[in-house]
Amino acid sequence: GVGGIDLALFVVAADEGMMPQTREHLAILDLLQVPDGVVALTKTDLIDDPEWLEFVQEDVREALQGTVLQDAKIIPVSARTGDNLPQLLEELDRLLLSPPPRPETGRPRLPIDRVFSIAGFGTVVTGTLIDGRLNTGDEVEILPSGLKARIRGLQTHKEKVETAVPPSRVAVNLSGVSKEQLQRGDVLTTPGWLRSTSVVDARLRLLKDAPRPLNHSACVALFTGSAQRLARVRILDRKKASPGEESWVQLVLDEPTAIVKGDRFIIRQPSPSLTLGGGIVVDPLPQRKHRRFRKETLERLEQLAHGTPDEILLQELEREQPAELGALMTRTTLSHQEAQKALLSLLNAGRVVQLDMPSEEAVTRLPPNSKYVVSAEGWAALRHQIESLLDNYHLRYPLRMGMPREELKSRLGLPARAFNEAITRAANEGSLLETEAILYRADHRVVFSPEQQRRVDELLTKFQDSRYAPPSLAESEVIVGADLLAALIEQGRLVKVSDTILFSAQAYEEM
């Protein structure tokens, strides 16, 4: 649960100096990138030798070098005499007055660190709220179980509030779930956007003083949010990770966990317990387990880790497209404002297209959430697939005018609205023509061979000669065959009024 803090009060006893556990605490603060802190050098009343106190301060300063606390003030204090305690409080106040900004994405998450019940109130969970706000009355989801509940009440530092804001400690009184259904490590959030995962892509840094290299597929204890999981470390870019090195890894967890891009984590040796390193999640929902040493995989991870909002949003879209705009904005780990700005930029640059919008139109505002978008490359691939399916259909059935809409929709496997928007765009670009029932390539024509044309002429003559008592459907099939007859009906030259009766188009109109 330490990952939710903004400021560390780092305590070192002056009579002992930097002990092993103290160094491990410093390593954890550094791996989690806790952004600020102050060092309290305690028990100074036990030190009579000024040189020793100076030596301990230098030892601490040396240990802090290269970590997030390298610029932290070291303040010698004594709880017994009160020496320098006012200065320590003053430094804490100064740092707390200007805490580093934390992103508010509008997607609240509360990693649960305690679960209990109170008579008359029911189930209560506590945690550090991040990424968004919670309101009394909100429906919430508990992951990884997927249980739904409703917020009956909120408290922050024992004060009742209607809205809890990040980053703050929050107690949430829930209705609809029991204490037994929840546990430390679960995540409370708003429904519909966060998915649990058992595999994550990450950048891992092994501590310089790690006892040994980390082998591929090593089993570790992983800590993220308030969750602890066993995980297997798949090293993607080298044979093994050496102390002090950074590596691209895929972490395979033993239990599903709710994680988002940018979350930091710690790995420890399970037994004997020892911190090995930590890192940052770059993709919480990889589509597959990666093969090792693949250049394209490593390049993609680099872009995810260091890319611009435009690149991050585009890569998220390319994972699953066409994408309904609302679902895409929910999936990305960018803040809502960042995602909107990035999407508008991508639309106007032509790198993303709105399926039902003509390509030449400028985009001045975002389309509704129900509209479908696709990357420019994704649209080119989808259009090519549509054209290929229609071309193959025309080759297979040259006497048919086109492919039934429902058959093409089934072959593409798209949702109905995405399919309709894609067909509209393809038609606007001239790739195909459409009627209510069929789709066909713009250059497709049904052309009869001389022999077919002879039989067609023979049949149509019979329909002309006997306008109101024409040949039956069965008799017509004997003359031209089923395929040719279907073509004449599709072209509107014959009208089928029942399973057995046909008329010429002219006779039908006259009647």
Side-chain angles (χ1 to χ4, degrees), residues 104 118 202 207 217 250 255-256 339:
E104 187 172 337
I118 298 177
L207 294 176
S217 289
Q250 196 166 55
E255 295 179 53

Side-chain angles (χ1 to χ4, degrees), residues 411-423:
R411 298 283 294 276
L412 291 173
L414 295 177
R417 190 163 62 243
F419 171 76
N420 291 332
E421 291 181 7
I423 294 304

Side-chain angles (χ1 to χ4, degrees), residues 167-365:
S168 56
R169 290 290 300 172
V170 180
V172 187
N173 182 201
L174 296 172
S175 63
V177 290
S178 66
K179 170 188 171 184
E180 290 72 27
Q181 292 176 295
L182 309 177
Q183 61 183 342
R184 177 182 173 89
D186 289 347
V187 174
L188 181 150
T189 185
T190 50
W193 73 274
L194 182 59
R195 286 189 288 169
S196 301
T197 181
S198 296
V199 181
V200 299
D201 294 338
R203 187 69 172 169
L204 172 68
R205 172 160 64 97
L206 213 59
L207 294 176
K208 289 181 180 179
D209 56 358
R212 65 185 66 85
L214 187 68
N215 293 321
H216 176 68
S217 289
C219 185
V220 299
L222 180 137
F223 299 81
T224 183
S226 57
Q228 176 182 345
R229 301 284 187 263
L230 288 178
R232 187 163 50 84
V233 183
R234 303 184 67 248
I235 302 172
L236 302 176
D237 58 352
R238 60 198 69 204
K239 290 184 177 180
K240 60 177 65 178
S242 300
E245 285 186 344
E246 291 193 7
S247 308
W248 288 115
V249 300
Q250 196 166 55
L251 303 170
V252 183
L253 284 58
D254 69 332
E255 295 179 53
T257 307
I259 303 175
V260 303
K261 181 178 182 291
D263 280 357
R264 293 194 171 271
F265 62 89
I266 298 293
I267 61 167
R268 304 191 80 212
Q269 182 176 281
S271 181
S273 187
L274 177 70
T275 299
L276 300 174
I280 186 168
V281 173
V282 296
D283 188 353
L285 294 166
Q287 293 178 313
R288 62 182 66 87
K289 289 185 180 179
H290 304 308
R291 293 176 62 184
R292 302 176 70 194
F293 311 115
R294 296 293 292 268
K295 180 181 177 183
E296 59 270 26
T297 299
L298 301 178
E299 287 176 348
R300 175 181 171 275
L301 293 175
E302 284 284 355
Q303 188 176 76
L304 270 178
H306 306 296
T308 64
D310 289 20
E311 291 168 336
I312 291 170
L313 186 67
L314 185 61
Q315 192 165 82
E316 182 59 46
L317 173 59
E318 288 171 342
R319 283 159 52 98
E320 191 177 330
Q321 57 178 336
E324 196 175 33
L325 183 57
L328 173 64
M329 302 297 269
T330 298
R331 285 201 325 251
T332 179
T333 55
L334 299 170
S335 70
H336 195 65
Q337 186 177 7
E338 279 183 318
Q340 287 184 322
K341 185 177 178 182
L343 183 60
L344 202 59
S345 170
L346 291 167
L347 285 167
N348 280 307
R351 300 175 69 190
V352 169
V353 297
Q354 180 184 335
L355 281 182
D356 67 343
M357 182 176 178
S359 55
E360 65 274 6
E361 288 191 17
V363 183
T364 57
R365 60 182 180 179

Side-chain angles (χ1 to χ4, degrees), residues 399-401 446 448 452 455-456 458-460 463 470-496 498-504:
L399 296 180
R400 296 184 186 179
M401 189 62 197
V446 175
F448 299 147
Q452 289 172 333
R455 284 185 281 151
V456 166
E458 178 186 346
L459 178 64
L460 294 180
F463 272 84
S472 68
L473 188 144
E475 291 168 338
S476 299
E477 280 190 356
V478 170
I479 297 171
V480 296
D483 289 343
L484 266 178
L485 185 61
L488 293 172
I489 295 170
E490 189 175 57
Q491 292 172 8
R493 299 167 75 178
L494 296 178
V495 179
K496 181 180 178 182
S498 77
D499 290 340
T500 60
I501 300 173
L502 298 169
F503 288 102
S504 68

Side-chain angles (χ1 to χ4, degrees), residues 420-440:
N420 291 332
E421 291 181 7
I423 294 304
T424 298
R425 187 176 187 89
N428 288 337
E429 293 180 357
S431 288
L432 57 85
L433 297 175
E434 59 178 328
T435 68
E436 186 175 337
I438 64 170
L439 303 163
Y440 54 99

